[in-house]
Amino acid sequence: MAYTCDNQTMKGAVEGSRGQQILRETEIRDGALERKHNRDTRIGQALLGLGLFLLWELGSGTLVDQFFVSKPSKIMESVWGMLIKEDLLYHMQFTVTEALAGYLIGASAGLLSGFLLARIDLVYRIVQPFIIGFYGIPRIALAPLFILWFGIGISSKIAVAAVMTFFIVLINTIAGIRSVPVQLLQVTKVMGASEWDLNWKVIFPSATPFIIAGLQIAVPQAMIGAIVGEFISSNRGVGHLINKASGWLDTPGLFAGIFALMIVVLLMNYGVTVIGNRLMRWNPKYGNMREPV
Amino acid sequence: MPAGKPVIEAKDVFRAFIARADHGKRYPILALQDANLAIEKGEFVSFVGPSGCGKSTLLNMVAGIFQPTAGEILYKGKPVTAINTDVGYMTQDDNLLPWRTLRDNVEVALEFQGMPAAQRHERAAEYIAKVGLCGFENHYPHELSGGMRKRCALVRTLIYEPDIILMDEPFGPLDAQTRVILQDELLKLWDGTGKTIVFVTHDLVEAIALSDRIVLFSRAPGRIKQIYKVPLSRPRDVFHIHAEPEFPAFFDQLWRDLKEEITEVELRAK
């Protein structure tokens, strides 16, 4: 007897029945609730942001000396001024390039070496203390060294950003791969999985929550790497602008630079989050089954 | 019992493991000793015995997950020295891949074999229908109930038609009703396929209802104590297995022999 799925309805309800009506009503109510939740979140975020700005704007000059903290209206003025006169966008393009290139190089190197290290047990045992040792040194202290090696141009900042990213991604990748359940490996091997299958269909997906977490943590780190590189020695980039503003005791200019960086980091983080959510649809924490209204 | 050359043979098999005491000292322990057994093609054989008696150890060695410390395991006359991909292997945990939907989980072994997608989908659809999981093909494991996940794990193992299916307490974590229903489904899926099943369980009723022969292991360090032929005909009605006239006497004998192996401590704990 051949089995097909046509005549079996375990999931839904019979056409035109009370059950089907309930399913449809639940769907409509759930959609409305979902929209309301999303709207409430947006409103909450807008209110919180506005409140912080308002507190800053009104508190500056009354609670705290405006010289030290500036105020949002002044900062926006300064952002605008920098956009026109100082070529904020021109400087941002260098900083973004440095952070992004460093991030991509560091992340791919971290992923690849993490994968190889974690998969070969003897190699892992040998290098493990060395990795922890290198991870333990304040990597930002390497920045002057990199400027010595790679010059004051863009490449030394890329190197700092890459080193900042590399170790975080490396360590998370190793942790993810080493936490793959042994039984999952056994069962799939018995089913005839090749080494390639094991890597791509079992080990890598199983490690993605760790890897994505590492990639997210590394975003601001890459930016810190690029900016610190620029602080130490540069003639362009947002770090250079901030440095200059601080030299002139231009607090609004300083905050304007910080504000621009924050926007960039938020955008980069958003990108990683979108990719992460896409890769982890299967994860209950990101999952889609929940209690109806 | 069908006659012929055995598909699985254990010859003087011993298996030791290294354990670690809580103060970090490593010491060897014996999990299985002096096991001799022959299983014929098409047989349904159950392993029963107290906890830690080496049932799962023997099963894992047939799958080639690890090798005997001494003696040898033969599969179709040849020693098993690496992972044995001719077997299907199902454990207490369903071990579904959480990042794959039900359909993709059912298809995974066919995918490893390199079967074209269209053919895979067709075969999977048939097996999914056989266990009544229609409509859940695109659900992830965490969206399925325990019984549904078990069915998925079962057809995932059966779909690539391995010669031998090794099952290590597969229905252990299920509730009593789902358990019997799945036993019934297993027998129906197995009937007429000529596949060999080796089934580890703690449940004597389950062992009697399903098997042709039952292998009783002694307490740790385990050895094979006795092998019984189940005095029931097929097809079996697992829902009313108690009502079979041969059942009570056979169950009593099995339980008496098993009881000798369960230590005082274990009995008191129960």
Side-chain angles (χ1 to χ4, degrees):
Chain A
M1 166 173 148
Y3 286 88
T4 56
C5 275
D6 301 337
N7 48 5
Q8 299 187 26
T9 48
M10 238 178 103
K11 180 193 189 181
V14 183
E15 193 71 31
S17 69
R18 172 99 180 98
Q20 204 193 32
Q21 192 188 338
I22 286 175
L23 281 182
R24 200 171 296 136
E25 282 167 11
T26 309
E27 194 179 10
I28 292 166
R29 229 176 316 146
D30 181 66
L33 190 77
E34 175 83 10
R35 278 191 298 278
K36 183 173 156 21
H37 280 170
N38 287 342
R39 201 182 55 221
D40 290 355
T41 311
R42 297 279 167 270
I43 292 174
Q45 285 169 342
L47 283 178
L48 181 61
L50 213 66
L52 286 175
F53 271 120
L54 221 61
L55 185 72
W56 193 355
E57 182 73 37
L58 299 177
S60 174
T62 52
L63 300 172
V64 192
D65 191 336
Q66 193 187 320
F67 174 75
F68 296 113
V69 295
S70 187
K71 61 196 315 181
S73 53
K74 281 266 176 359
I75 292 167
M76 286 307 137
E77 224 171 85
S78 181
V79 168
W80 183 242
M82 281 170 129
L83 271 174
I84 305 168
K85 290 200 308 267
E86 295 238 36
D87 295 328
L88 179 62
L89 289 180
Y90 168 80
H91 287 283
M92 261 174 88
Q93 100 194 7
F94 290 104
T95 308
V96 170
T97 310
E98 289 157 7
L100 207 62
Y103 181 77
L104 291 177
I105 293 171
S108 27
L111 257 170
L112 197 70
S113 36
F115 210 88
L116 293 176
L117 287 182
R119 289 290 280 143
I120 309 168
D121 196 56
L122 181 65
V123 179
Y124 172 74
R125 283 161 175 253
I126 293 171
V127 300
Q128 196 256 358
F130 293 88
I131 293 174
I132 299 299
F134 281 119
Y135 182 64
I137 59 174
R139 280 151 292 148
I140 217 72
L142 295 173
L145 200 62
F146 284 173
I147 285 165
L148 198 69
W149 290 350
F150 300 108
I152 65 161
I154 191 168
S155 39
S156 54
K157 285 84 183 181
I158 293 178
V160 184
V163 169
M164 296 294 284
T165 310
F166 173 76
F167 281 100
I168 296 169
V169 177
L170 175 78
I171 285 179
N172 272 46
T173 305
I174 291 176
I177 289 170
R178 291 187 70 85
S179 68
V180 177
V182 180
Q183 276 209 332
L184 229 49
L185 294 176
Q186 290 176 348
V187 167
T188 37
K189 274 189 205 161
V190 171
M191 285 194 287
S194 62
E195 195 65 21
W196 176 268
D197 287 328
L198 277 185
N199 284 332
W200 286 108
K201 293 172 181 171
V202 184
I203 292 165
F204 184 70
S206 180
T208 39
F210 287 80
I211 294 173
I212 295 292
L215 289 176
Q216 276 173 333
I217 300 167
V219 168
Q221 296 292 317
M223 186 53 87
I224 290 173
I227 291 297
V228 168
E230 288 176 353
F231 275 178
I232 291 176
S233 157
S234 68
N235 47 22
R236 54 199 183 186
V238 182
H240 171 68
L241 276 189
I242 294 177
N243 226 358
K244 211 163 69 179
S246 118
W248 290 343
L249 303 179
D250 170 17
T251 335
L254 209 146
F255 276 112
I258 294 175
F259 181 75
L261 290 180
M262 195 176 77
I263 300 292
V264 173
V265 170
L266 277 177
L267 285 176
M268 278 174 74
N269 193 55
Y270 179 75
V272 178
T273 307
V274 167
I275 296 170
N277 285 348
R278 174 114 194 93
L279 283 175
M280 293 201 288
R281 274 170 307 171
W282 54 272
N283 193 312
K285 289 189 198 93
Y286 297 78
N288 30 24
M289 198 195 251
R290 56 190 161 74
E291 201 66 13
V293 196
Chain B
M1 194 201 317
K5 266 191 72 168
V7 272
I8 303 167
E9 265 179 292
K11 288 187 167 171
D12 309 319
V13 172
F14 288 74
R15 173 70 209 195
F17 286 103
I18 297 292
R20 201 189 288 258
D22 37 357
H23 50 274
K25 194 177 176 309
R26 294 154 73 96
Y27 61 94
I29 53 168
L30 203 55
L32 184 69
Q33 52 181 329
D34 206 15
N36 282 284
L37 180 69
I39 296 172
E40 313 257 332
K41 182 178 174 349
E43 258 195 305
F44 196 128
V45 176
S46 287
F47 292 176
V48 299
S51 309
C53 69
K55 310 181 290 278
S56 302
T57 304
L58 185 54
L59 201 74
N60 285 335
M61 288 191 290
V62 175
I65 288 168
F66 45 74
Q67 274 71 47
T69 313
E72 56 181 3
I73 304 275
L74 302 180
Y75 170 72
K76 290 184 173 167
K78 290 198 198 83
V80 179
T81 53
I83 291 272
N84 184 355
T85 52
D86 283 353
V87 307
Y89 180 70
M90 194 174 157
T91 62
Q92 193 163 7
D93 299 320
D94 49 57
N95 285 317
L96 298 175
L97 302 177
W99 45 88
R100 283 174 168 249
T101 60
L102 187 147
R103 179 194 287 113
D104 291 345
N105 264 295
V106 170
E107 284 180 6
V108 72
L110 302 178
E111 200 179 310
F112 292 156
Q113 288 173 7
M115 182 186 279
Q119 219 174 321
R120 248 167 30 211
H121 295 336
E122 199 178 314
R123 181 106 71 101
E126 187 189 330
Y127 273 87
I128 288 168
K130 272 186 187 179
V131 287
L133 287 173
C134 290
F136 292 92
E137 292 87 347
N138 295 318
H139 286 234
Y140 286 104
H142 77 268
E143 300 169 322
L144 304 173
S145 73
M148 288 157 86
R149 279 206 296 269
K150 229 9 143 192
R151 286 187 174 87
C152 178
L154 181 62
V155 291
R156 174 183 76 164
T157 312
L158 297 177
I159 195 168
Y160 64 104
E161 300 180 342
D163 285 341
I164 303 175
I165 300 155
L166 307 174
M167 309 181 96
D168 193 351
E169 295 185 55
F171 306 144
L174 296 176
D175 64 90
Q177 282 165 32
T178 313
R179 206 178 154 94
V180 183
I181 293 169
L182 273 163
Q183 289 166 5
D184 184 54
E185 284 179 14
L186 173 63
L187 282 187
K188 289 200 170 108
L189 287 165
W190 170 68
D191 187 38
T193 59
K195 305 289 178 194
T196 311
I197 297 186
V198 185
F199 193 100
V200 172
T201 179
H202 277 109
D203 180 347
L204 294 185
V205 180
E206 183 172 67
I208 297 170
L210 299 177
S211 333
D212 296 312
R213 285 195 296 159
I214 296 175
V215 180
L216 176 68
F217 286 68
S218 73
R219 68 166 164 268
R223 58 170 81 235
I224 293 175
K225 188 185 184 192
Q226 194 150 356
I227 300 174
Y228 308 84
K229 196 172 178 323
V230 178
L232 301 175
S233 60
R234 290 194 191 272
R236 306 244 174 103
D237 177 3
V238 293
F239 300 100
H240 301 100
I241 205 75
H242 300 87
E244 298 291 332
E246 300 89 346
F247 180 88
F250 183 58
F251 179 86
D252 281 344
Q253 185 196 353
L254 209 55
W255 176 234
R256 255 198 320 274
D257 294 347
L258 174 62
K259 210 164 125 187
E260 286 173 15
E261 301 305 327
I262 303 176
T263 59
E264 295 267 311
V265 183
E266 256 182 285
L267 265 184
R268 249 183 286 136
K270 276 197 175 141

